[in-house]
Amino acid sequence: MTGFFITVEGGDGAGKTTHLKFIHEWLQNRKVKVLLSREPGGTEIGESIRELLLHGRRRITDETELLLMFAARMENIEQLIRPAIARGDCVLCDRFTDASYAYQGGGRGISNVRISQLEQWVHGDLQPDLTIVLDVPIETAMKRTLDRGEASDRFERESRDFKNAVRQSYIDRAERFPDRIKVIDASKSIEEVESSVETVLLDFYTDWQIDNAKT
Ligand code: TYD
């Protein structure tokens, strides 16, 4: 049995935490062994990099930000993701490289060519099998973030233009990779979003079972 790799993406305030929990439980109910990770983060070094990136007081250049994202990612891949997939488990990761295209590409304006060079280097042979993008208008997302009342991080404090560019980049990537990336309208009620997420999961999981039965 080969494992599989699912990532969940979306702008800040799209409801990732709620729906990740739903996906996790959905998989566990089907007796799938799930390794949960997040980016930036997941490993000890990755979490230290996350702290620097989200809450660091010093200004860093956009390029340094991108490189740190990929440095954290390299640790996540080598220490957690590859071993779990090799064991036949499922990896469920809160964000991955699509976030670098959306935030550092769309948001900060770094070229896709540059990001793709790092992608090739760090995980040229490894892509998520399924990516769920939770899409909401930025007004809704910003209101949710405010209502949560959490101390905001460097990305949550970004401008409307930045957030719109992030959202658009996710949509552009989904158009480019329609088999892998599924966009879900996350502005609806939790139950409605869960139902859409479940449809996507069921499709994916059924195909995966069929493929595994063949091998
Ligand atoms: P987030 O996933 O929103 O965590 P939480 O739900 O706990 O607030 O925080 C991670 C932030 O990092 C998010 O704002 C997006 C940003 N990020 C990038 O800019 N580039 C990346 O490659 C990744 C993985 C995340």
Side-chain angles (χ1 to χ4, degrees), residues 26-207:
W26 192 94
L27 290 165
Q28 283 181 321
N29 288 340
R30 275 149 196 84
K31 307 275 177 275
V32 175
K33 223 171 141 209
V34 184
L35 176 110
L36 267 181
S37 190
R38 67 170 179 180
E39 292 208 348
T43 64
E44 214 181 311
I45 289 182
E47 289 296 325
S48 305
I49 296 176
R50 179 186 179 92
E51 186 56 30
L52 268 177
L53 280 164
L54 269 60
H55 304 291
R57 300 249 181 96
R58 310 230 176 257
R59 229 195 77 76
I60 52 172
T61 67
D62 296 345
E63 285 73 17
T64 305
E65 180 180 285
L66 174 68
L67 288 166
L68 286 173
M69 292 292 176
F70 271 95
R73 182 160 300 135
M74 183 71 109
E75 288 301 304
N76 193 25
I77 292 169
E78 295 309 320
Q79 288 190 37
L80 302 177
I81 299 176
R82 285 196 201 277
I85 293 175
R87 285 195 302 271
D89 296 346
C90 161
V91 176
L92 177 58
C93 196
D94 182 344
R95 301 192 186 281
F96 195 63
T97 296
D98 295 304
S100 299
Y101 282 99
Y103 284 77
Q104 283 65 52
R108 303 275 190 237
I110 297 179
S111 82
N112 280 355
V113 174
R114 183 62 94 214
I115 301 172
S116 140
Q117 286 167 338
L118 289 170
E119 177 183 18
Q120 282 309 311
W121 180 29
V122 172
H123 62 96
D125 59 334
L126 174 86
Q127 287 296 333
D129 298 296
L130 171 69
T131 297
I132 293 178
V133 172
L134 299 169
D135 179 59
V136 286
I138 61 155
E139 279 69 27
T140 315
M142 284 165 82
K143 190 175 173 303
R144 285 183 187 167
T145 317
L146 271 180
D147 290 349
R148 275 209 308 255
E150 290 166 6
S152 60
D153 63 45
R154 277 180 60 237
F155 296 99
E156 286 169 0
R157 289 195 294 271
E158 279 298 338
S159 67
R160 247 160 223 278
D161 285 352
F162 181 97
K163 293 185 162 105
N164 269 321
V166 167
R167 182 180 184 207
Q168 190 55 50
S169 301
Y170 276 128
I171 291 167
D172 294 346
R173 285 192 63 74
E175 276 169 12
R176 190 156 161 221
F177 304 104
D179 291 342
R180 171 174 70 87
I181 306 183
K182 307 293 174 193
V183 179
I184 286 176
D185 177 358
S187 62
K188 298 190 178 148
S189 70
I190 292 184
E191 293 71 27
E192 283 170 303
V193 179
E194 278 176 358
S195 153
S196 312
V197 169
E198 182 163 26
T199 306
V200 167
L201 277 176
L202 198 54
D203 259 14
F204 168 80
Y205 189 60
T206 309
D207 285 351

